[in-house]
Amino acid sequence: MAPGAPALLLLSLLSLPGLPPLAAGCPTACRCYSATVECGALRLRVVPPGIPPGTQTLFLQDNSIARLEPGILASLASLRHLYLHNNSLHALESGAFRAQSRLLELALTGNRLRGLRVGAFAGLAQLRVLYLAGNQLVQLLDFTFLHLQRLQELHLQENSIELLEDQALAGLSSLALLDLSRNQLGTISREALQPLASLQVLRLTENPWRCDCALHWLGAWIKEGGQRLLSSRDKKILCAEPPRLALQSLLEVSGSSLICIPPSVHVEPLEMTANLGEDLRVACQASGYPQPLVTWRKVAQPREGAPRAQAQPEAGWWRPGGLGASDTGSGMLFLTNITLAHAGKYECEASNAGGAARVPFQLLVNVSRQQQLAPPPPPAGGPVSHEPLPEAGSMAFRALGLATQTAIAAAIALLTLTALLLATMICRRRRRRKKAPGPPGEGALFVNDYSDGPCTFAQLEELRDERGHEMFVIDRSKPLFAEGPAEAAEAPGVSQGLPLQAPSAYEIHC
């Protein structure tokens, strides 16, 4: 080889497009070489900025990253391997890996994931291996892995998975290895494994399997051909219950021993009456094996003339711990601040692998007597409603909607204004009657005119009779104001009482 050939070879290798040069920028404290960035065990709380866009392998393990900020990985479209194991991730946002269409391996082992949202793995069309072991997953919902059609290995061991829904593994037609060992699975359905057309390895050991009629298919499937998917260790699927089958291998239990007891339901009483604003609890006791799942629902009432449909829960009633909440064994119906809308027919349903049972329950709502007697406000220009008007401070009023409360408050204000106007009109009429002149001679005092001049108030106080009445006379020839009727001046008379109000005023003399 000619002198200088090794140097030329090295330069030619570095210029190849498949080997990118060292990144000009590198995150602080990280190590960057070729297309790899190592940021492991640096006590990072977030994904560090400044990662070169051409990075293909990114190590972020053994840190304290709790969340993947939206768009934090958007510039890393060339990633092939992403290692985020042993961090503090507690959730994955939908579309968190949407830009990683070339990613082949994703490691999320040893985090704090409690659930997986549908769409969390959207965009990972090329993903081959997914590690989710050692998290805190409790259930796998339908279509969680729908976007991973080329996934070959799914590691879910060492979680707390109790429920695997029938369509949770839908879309995993290329999956070859599924590890569900060391979880809390009591049963698994045949439908859940049906999408796994390419499955070669299945690990189900160290779960508290409930050996009943729902698991009969698994034993038969393993004996017929499924055992090829299990290693010698994985074939030891041990029963945890019922007690008579505890610690026995599922493969050694006869099919006749895998039984279920259909549920029976009891609700007492079957009908209750509640007052407006009260809280209500109704217990639904269910028995059977396996322990039934208990669910309350409100039955929609069919309209008159419409065909009867299957009972469906009414929208807007579902809430945790209340109507529609599921429980095992004993289901409690919770209703708070009862209104008229709560009245109707309810249904408690208990179901297990052996069947289902339902019991109806009727709720009546009692309207208080005070509300029944309350007069409704007369609507302007509309028909009169005979429904009771709730008081503003009552429990029923607080249970109404905002629009209804506003209408009631406006009606009360209108009634108050009407009462004030009526009172004002009555007062005005009384004043007019007092000011209007009465019949001739009414309220006038006539005495003999023998005085010499007008009296002072002091003199009037002195001129009182034995009953306290003032003794005075009127000079009819000196009216102070407009003269009254002539008849009033022509009938003289003596009175010891005070004048009520004469139609004319005259000068008073002693």
Side-chain angles (χ1 to χ4, degrees):
M1 181 179 294
L8 293 174
L9 179 60
L10 180 59
L11 290 174
S12 61
L13 289 175
L14 290 176
S15 62
L16 290 176
L19 295 175
L22 294 176
C26 187
T28 305
C30 297
R31 293 183 299 172
C32 302
Y33 53 92
S34 185
T36 301
V37 177
E38 290 189 1
C39 300
L42 295 178
R43 300 181 181 179
L44 299 175
R45 294 184 177 274
V46 295
V47 177
I51 300 175
T55 302
Q56 297 183 8
T57 302
L58 177 58
F59 291 93
L60 291 168
Q61 76 283 0
D62 302 314
N63 282 292
S64 300
I65 300 174
R67 183 170 179 254
L68 294 179
E69 300 292 336
I72 192 66
L73 303 174
S75 62
L76 305 179
S78 300
L79 276 181
R80 299 289 193 276
H81 308 274
L82 177 58
Y83 301 102
L84 281 162
H85 51 282
N86 299 332
N87 273 279
S88 302
L89 291 172
H90 57 271
L92 295 177
E93 301 294 335
S94 297
F97 306 101
R98 190 176 299 276
Q100 283 64 57
S101 59
R102 301 180 182 181
L103 196 65
L104 301 176
E105 186 178 15
L106 176 60
L108 297 168
T109 304
N111 279 275
R112 300 177 183 177
L113 298 174
R114 300 183 62 86
L116 298 174
R117 300 179 181 179
V118 176
F121 304 109
L124 300 177
Q126 302 295 328
L127 194 67
R128 300 295 195 272
V129 183
L130 176 58
Y131 296 96
L132 288 167
N135 279 276
Q136 302 172 11
L137 300 176
V138 177
Q139 57 183 1
L140 295 179
L141 304 179
D142 288 338
F143 311 112
T144 299
F145 308 103
L146 185 63
H147 302 88
L148 306 179
Q149 298 183 2
R150 296 194 178 185
L151 192 68
Q152 297 177 359
E153 297 183 20
L154 179 56
H155 298 265
L156 290 163
Q157 66 273 21
E158 298 181 19
N159 278 280
S160 301
I161 301 173
E162 300 175 352
L163 174 63
L164 185 69
E165 293 191 350
D166 291 348
Q167 299 298 321
L169 304 176
L172 300 179
S173 57
S174 301
L175 195 68
L177 183 149
L178 175 61
D179 194 341
L180 287 167
S181 61
R182 283 169 282 177
N183 276 281
Q184 296 298 317
L185 286 170
T187 189
I188 188 172
S189 67
R190 181 192 296 269
E191 290 76 15
L193 299 182
Q194 278 184 349
L196 310 181
S198 304
L199 194 63
Q200 299 179 17
V201 178
L202 178 62
R203 295 172 182 168
L204 299 172
T205 55
E206 299 184 56
N207 280 282
W209 296 108
R210 185 179 62 246
C211 295
D212 55 23
C213 64
L215 214 60
H216 183 279
W217 76 271
L218 182 60
W221 175 75
I222 293 175
K223 293 177 181 177
E224 292 173 0
Q227 55 184 337
R228 63 180 177 80
L229 307 180
L230 307 176
S231 63
S232 57
R233 176 189 175 188
D234 296 326
K235 291 178 182 178
K236 296 180 180 179
I237 300 176
L238 300 181
C239 301
E241 54 176 285
R244 60 185 179 85
L245 299 178
L247 301 181
Q248 294 189 33
S249 175
L250 177 63
L251 298 178
E252 298 175 358
V253 176
S254 62
S256 58
S257 298
L258 302 174
I259 61 175
C260 293
I261 301 175
S264 60
V265 190
H266 177 73
V267 176
E268 183 67 30
L270 295 177
E271 181 177 310
M272 289 185 66
T273 301
N275 296 322
L276 289 172
E278 290 184 344
D279 296 340
L280 179 69
R281 293 185 179 184
V282 183
C284 178
Q285 300 292 336
S287 59
Y289 185 83
Q291 192 66 50
L293 184 70
V294 181
T295 304
W296 278 96
R297 58 172 55 90
K298 192 172 190 292
V299 181
Q301 299 296 330
R303 297 180 180 178
E304 296 183 1
R308 288 184 173 271
Q310 186 177 1
Q312 297 291 336
E314 290 188 352
W317 288 84
W318 309 99
R319 62 181 179 87
L323 183 59
S326 300
D327 192 7
T328 53
S330 176
M332 189 72 70
L333 171 64
F334 294 96
L335 296 177
T336 59
N337 197 13
I338 290 178
T339 65
L340 292 176
H342 287 90
K345 184 178 179 182
Y346 294 76
E347 190 176 72
C348 176
E349 180 184 78
S351 60
N352 64 7
R358 301 176 183 86
V359 171
F361 169 76
Q362 187 76 24
L363 175 63
L364 305 176
V365 177
N366 181 33
V367 181
S368 67
R369 183 178 180 183
Q370 181 178 4
Q371 292 171 341
Q372 288 179 346
L373 298 178
V384 179
S385 174
H386 298 283
E387 295 184 0
L389 178 64
E391 297 179 357
S394 65
M395 294 295 289
F397 182 82
R398 294 195 299 268
L400 297 175
L402 179 60
T404 308
Q405 293 182 13
T406 305
I408 293 176
I412 294 175
L414 181 60
L415 286 175
T416 305
L417 181 60
T418 304
L420 290 175
L421 292 176
L422 289 175
T424 303
M425 293 175 61
I426 292 173
C427 291
R428 288 182 178 179
R429 288 185 179 181
R430 288 182 178 178
R431 291 177 182 177
R432 290 176 181 176
R433 288 179 181 178
K434 290 181 179 180
K435 294 180 180 180
E442 182 180 352
L445 176 65
F446 303 99
V447 295
N448 294 328
D449 184 10
Y450 54 86
S451 61
D452 297 331
C455 298
T456 64
F457 284 100
Q459 291 172 325
L460 287 176
E461 288 292 332
E462 293 177 358
L463 298 175
R464 293 181 179 273
D465 63 357
E466 60 183 3
R467 297 183 181 180
H469 295 160
E470 296 172 353
M471 303 293 292
F472 56 89
V473 295
I474 296 176
D475 186 359
R476 292 170 296 182
S477 63
K478 297 180 179 181
L480 297 180
F481 307 109
E483 293 187 5
E487 294 82 2
E490 295 177 357
V494 178
S495 175
Q496 295 179 349
L498 291 174
L500 297 177
Q501 184 173 356
S504 299
Y506 296 89
E507 189 175 76
I508 300 175
H509 296 263
C510 297

